[in-house]
Amino acid sequence: MTDTKDDKTLTVTPKKTLTLKRPGIEQGTVRQNFSHGRTKSVVVETKKRKFSSPGEREAAPVITPSAPKPTLTVAPPPNVEQRPRPAPVDRGGVVLNSLSRGEMDARRRALEDAKVREVEERARAVEDAKRRAEEEERRQRERVESARRQAEEEARLQAEAEARRRAEEEARRRQPEVADDEEEAPAPKSRTPTAAPAAAPRAPGVGLGDIRRAPLKPEVAPAKPTKTKGEEDRRRGKLTLTSATADGDGRSRSLSSMRRRQEKFKRAMQQGEREKISREVVLPETITVQELASRMSERAVDLIKYFMKQGQMMTPGSVLDADTAELIASEFGHTVRRVADSDIEEGLFNIRDEEDTQETRSPVVTIMGHVDHGKTSLLDAIRSANVVKGEAGGITQHIGAYQVEKNGQKITFLDTPGHEAFTAMRARGAQATDIAILVVAADDSVMPQTIESISHAKAAGVPIIVAINKIDKPSADAQRVRTQLLQHEVFVESMGGEVLDVEVSAKTGAGLDNLLEAILLQTEILDLKANPNRTAEGVVIEAQLDKGRGPVATILVQTGTLKTGDILVAGNVYGKVRALVNDQGKTVQLAPPSMPVEVLGLSGTPSAGDRFAVVETEARAREISEYRQRVARDKAVARQSGQRGSLEQMMSQLQNTGLKEFPLVIKADVQGSAEAIVAALEKLGTDEVRARIVHVGAGAITESDVSLAETSNAVIIGFNVRANKQARTAADQEGIEVRYYNIIYNLVDDVKQAMSGLLSPERRETFIGNAEILEVFNITKTGKVAGCRVTEGKVERGAGVRLIRDNVVIHEGTLKTLKRFKDEVGEVPVGQECGMAFQNYEDIRQGDVIECFRVEMVTRSL
């Protein structure tokens, strides 16, 4: 319907469905298939986006979220001035018909930037196309040049082959006798005819291509009943160079094969026979075939061929001993120099120093003596520090290294434990010392550990200074100490000897200056010197595993100077020195001779008493460490195999000796304490029971220790250490007993008591009485019954009895019945008569003696 009013045209379409449809959107239906035959129709809209140039301005319809209305078309009046409108802007799906001035400026700048970028991109595209064209042209030239060179090479090779073939033909023509023999002989069915048919055209560029090569000795070549090649050539009508020079089977050598053969021939002509070079081969104790071939500059294949000729199958990884390797090297014309694995330690220790390089060093003094004679208290008084309070039970259980200064000269003290369990530690202290101070209590005189200290000092060859301690006590008698020392060949100066003796009191401090002066006097006599300007050497005093710092080793530098950053080898561990800590807890950069320090940075805890040395490189340190670990592992395996033996030996040993073992896992705070505990427990062993140390180490008790104890059914003993949380949890779950100690007396006593429980109880027999058989009665349903009179002691029912005939034991068993008249009784005293019958035994006679005894099992102890 159309209506015209006031020069305006209104057009209305009422029958059409009113919908709001976005321009550029197409709708379609897609059917989706699901499992179990289910389907679903989905409406899919496809939106087409129109791209316009920056200069175009297109008026888009205004979209307003209103209800659907009929389509209206309004025409403006003919004379109305049309004002220019700005282009609409699309913001979030809503088209706006007005733009601000800032937005117009931003849009104009964006269009200008786009034009600039487009120009730049076109320039870059032109440059890239030009560069690609040049690259393609260069590659084309290279391909043409390569093809030309290959064609020239092939032409040259063909010319050489043609010349060689002509030369062979000329050689065959110069042998008339061979040709005559061929003419007289009947024509064999050969695959090489003498001439090709004349009708066959020659190949261009081939001279005598129709003449085939004939063997120089046709009688040698076997005749094959095959079809002649000439017939095929005649049918083919073309003879090429390949077919003319090919063998009878139709195969020919390729150009590449001919080229390789010519190059190989040229190399052989130029090099000639290679001269054999004799080398000096260094052979260790074991070496692989590949390594031996490398050291001889030979091929491993040649060595394997040699072994195969000798009847042995080898591989490059096969290991040879030194003797076999020396034989092989001699066979190949080389000289041999044998080395051992232990040669790696050559030049590590005992490096000789020149006299002019040595300087005076501080003395190392070891304080030795009996337990509780005041060694640590004496050192405490010298250092003016309280050390003894830190030891459990007031006894020293570690080696302490301290340094004091007197009259501008330093003195290094080593405090060793005096208890007998630490004999090994005390021995190491004596070996690392220059002077030994023997502390003897004036009120207690010479004791067993005092005598041991004297023995260690004399074995180490160090001078002794006797310090008579506790002279402040009323019961002190210094003269008695000097007299008792004479019995052990310790002659003090006051008794006409050469050993210095000083009366001191660690409590009051009396005589300490005299003791230090005596030490300095003895140092002057010894004239101690060392070279500080060389690599350091020394001994490990103690080692432990610190939770925060890792492996910590207390060492004593004996010669040279140890510096931070040096690479150290101590026992079977190594490491780079990260820090040096002196006895006062301060970090130092270097340690001169006779200075005790703590070293941080080792790969593990060395054993107390191990020697250490500084090496040049970390590779050599690792090699030395691995060699020592391998030696220690081999010794441990040999020792265990020697102890273990075969199964038959173990069973026979258990049956014959009844040896029982008490397995233990020992963890201590330091290595020296662990070794002392092991030495003390080994002394407890007897022929019937002994302690078997499954594992010993320094550091806290870990979960791996619990697993080891579970496997070996052992008890874990911790000395001044504790188990971590994981280890405690695992021990509780598996039922592993963990015992903690801080005094060695209690540890040894508890283990001794536990080992006593493994001892078999002692069988003790007690005599009760004797009875003589007067008459033997044979009773129905009972058997033989002996009528006896008790002649000594008494007879009890249930006790053991023996039947003795002519002072020989005939039977041993138990009584079946014991009656007095007709009643069963418990016992029959001496002088009375009774009836007795044996259990399962009836060979009794008149005049036999019945001995009654009681067996008791008595618990034993170590």
Side-chain angles (χ1 to χ4, degrees), residues 231-269:
E231 295 294 327
E232 296 178 358
D233 295 342
R234 196 177 297 115
R235 294 193 192 95
R236 187 162 50 241
K238 185 178 180 181
L239 183 63
T240 62
L241 177 64
T242 303
S243 60
T245 58
D247 294 336
D249 53 359
R251 290 181 296 178
S252 61
R253 299 178 64 91
S254 63
L255 295 178
S256 300
S257 175
M258 296 172 64
R259 187 184 303 116
R260 288 194 298 268
R261 185 175 63 178
Q262 291 178 359
E263 292 177 355
K264 184 177 180 182
F265 178 74
K266 290 179 182 179
R267 286 197 303 268
M269 294 298 293

Side-chain angles (χ1 to χ4, degrees), residues 289-430:
V289 173
Q290 183 67 47
E291 180 65 21
L292 178 60
S294 176
R295 296 190 181 188
M296 294 191 304
S297 297
E298 303 281 353
R299 296 191 308 166
V301 178
D302 296 337
L303 270 69
I304 294 175
K305 288 181 180 179
Y306 177 82
F307 279 113
M308 292 177 67
K309 291 179 182 179
Q310 303 299 325
Q312 296 181 353
M313 295 300 297
M314 290 288 181
T315 61
S318 300
V319 180
L320 307 176
D321 55 26
D323 296 334
T324 305
E326 182 178 1
L327 178 62
I328 298 301
S330 302
E331 287 290 335
F332 279 81
H334 301 284
T335 58
V336 174
R337 180 165 62 89
R338 297 276 292 269
V339 296
D341 291 343
S342 58
D343 294 342
I344 194 175
E345 296 185 350
E346 288 184 358
L348 192 62
F349 297 108
N350 302 326
I351 301 176
R352 186 175 180 180
D353 297 321
E354 300 297 335
E355 289 293 335
D356 55 353
T357 60
Q358 296 187 357
E359 300 177 4
T360 304
R361 66 174 177 86
S362 305
V364 180
V365 182
T366 299
I367 299 181
M368 309 173 76
H370 189 69
V371 61
D372 201 25
H373 273 204
K375 301 182 299 299
T376 306
S377 300
L378 181 62
L379 183 60
D380 177 30
I382 294 174
R383 295 177 60 236
S384 300
N386 194 359
V387 178
V388 72
K389 287 184 178 180
E391 298 288 351
I395 62 173
T396 306
Q397 309 195 58
H398 305 130
I399 289 184
Y402 315 101
Q403 203 167 34
V404 299
E405 189 171 350
K406 175 68 176 177
N407 298 332
Q409 188 172 356
K410 293 184 178 180
I411 303 174
T412 301
F413 285 94
L414 299 182
D415 183 21
T416 61
H419 187 260
E420 62 176 356
F422 295 87
T423 302
M425 296 172 64
R426 189 165 57 247
R428 283 197 294 271

Side-chain angles (χ1 to χ4, degrees), residues 398-468:
H398 305 130
I399 289 184
Y402 315 101
Q403 203 167 34
V404 299
E405 189 171 350
K406 175 68 176 177
N407 298 332
Q409 188 172 356
K410 293 184 178 180
I411 303 174
T412 301
F413 285 94
L414 299 182
D415 183 21
T416 61
H419 187 260
E420 62 176 356
F422 295 87
T423 302
M425 296 172 64
R426 189 165 57 247
R428 283 197 294 271
Q431 291 170 1
T433 188
D434 300 317
I435 302 172
I437 295 182
L438 183 64
V439 179
V440 185
D443 60 340
D444 204 9
S445 191
V446 177
M447 298 300 288
Q449 278 74 42
T450 308
I451 301 173
E452 289 185 9
S453 301
I454 295 172
S455 302
H456 289 308
K458 289 184 177 181
V462 296
I464 299 175
I465 298 177
V466 178
I468 303 175

Side-chain angles (χ1 to χ4, degrees), residues 148 206 317 411 434 572 576 620 680 760:
R148 186 183 61 81
V206 180
I411 303 174
D434 300 317
N572 56 1
K576 189 174 183 180
R620 189 181 180 211
S760 301

Side-chain angles (χ1 to χ4, degrees), residues 83-100:
R83 296 181 181 179
R85 295 183 180 180
V89 180
D90 187 359
R91 293 185 178 180
V94 180
V95 180
L96 304 179
N97 289 328
S98 62
L99 292 175
S100 64

Side-chain angles (χ1 to χ4, degrees), residues 23-26 46-52 58 90:
I25 297 179
E26 296 180 359
T46 304
K47 181 178 181 182
K48 295 183 180 180
R49 183 177 180 182
K50 182 178 181 182
F51 297 92
S52 61
E58 181 177 342
D90 187 359

Side-chain angles (χ1 to χ4, degrees), residues 651-828:
M651 296 305 294
S652 62
Q653 184 181 15
L654 289 174
Q655 291 176 359
N656 297 334
T657 63
L659 181 63
K660 296 182 180 179
E661 293 182 340
F662 189 66
L664 294 172
V665 174
I666 299 175
K667 295 299 287 293
D669 54 346
V670 294
Q671 193 73 25
S673 299
E675 293 181 2
I677 292 170
V678 172
L681 295 180
E682 287 179 350
K683 294 181 180 179
L684 298 178
T686 62
D687 295 338
E688 296 184 25
V689 62
R690 66 179 178 89
R692 179 168 66 90
I693 308 301
V694 178
H695 173 67
V696 59
I701 300 173
T702 60
E703 194 172 0
S704 61
D705 297 327
V706 177
S707 302
L708 182 60
E710 178 191 359
T711 305
S712 57
N713 196 21
V715 178
I716 300 177
I717 292 180
F719 187 77
N720 283 335
V721 295
R722 290 295 182 270
N724 54 29
K725 183 178 180 180
Q726 293 83 359
R728 288 197 303 268
T729 305
D732 294 340
Q733 292 177 354
E734 304 299 336
I736 303 299
E737 184 179 6
V738 181
R739 307 289 294 272
Y740 301 108
Y741 299 92
N742 58 357
I743 298 179
I744 195 171
Y745 300 113
N746 301 336
L747 188 152
V748 174
D749 292 342
D750 286 357
V751 174
K752 182 178 180 180
Q753 184 178 0
M755 291 172 62
S756 300
L758 295 178
L759 291 175
S760 301
E762 183 180 0
R763 185 176 184 272
R764 186 174 299 175
E765 184 178 300
T766 305
F767 174 77
I768 299 177
N770 282 338
E772 182 182 359
I773 299 178
L774 302 179
E775 192 68 36
V776 178
F777 304 98
N778 197 352
I779 301 176
T780 307
K781 297 183 181 180
T782 304
K784 292 185 178 182
V785 176
C788 310
R789 180 188 293 117
V790 181
T791 58
E792 184 179 359
K794 62 181 179 178
V795 177
E796 293 181 354
R797 186 174 60 182
V801 291
R802 294 190 184 95
L803 182 63
I804 301 175
R805 185 178 300 161
D806 297 332
N807 295 325
V808 176
V809 178
I810 303 299
H811 173 71
E812 181 176 344
T814 57
L815 289 177
K816 182 170 62 173
T817 178
L818 175 64
K819 289 187 176 183
R820 171 84 174 147
F821 298 106
K822 292 185 179 181
D823 300 328
E824 287 283 346
V825 293
E827 64 178 28
V828 178

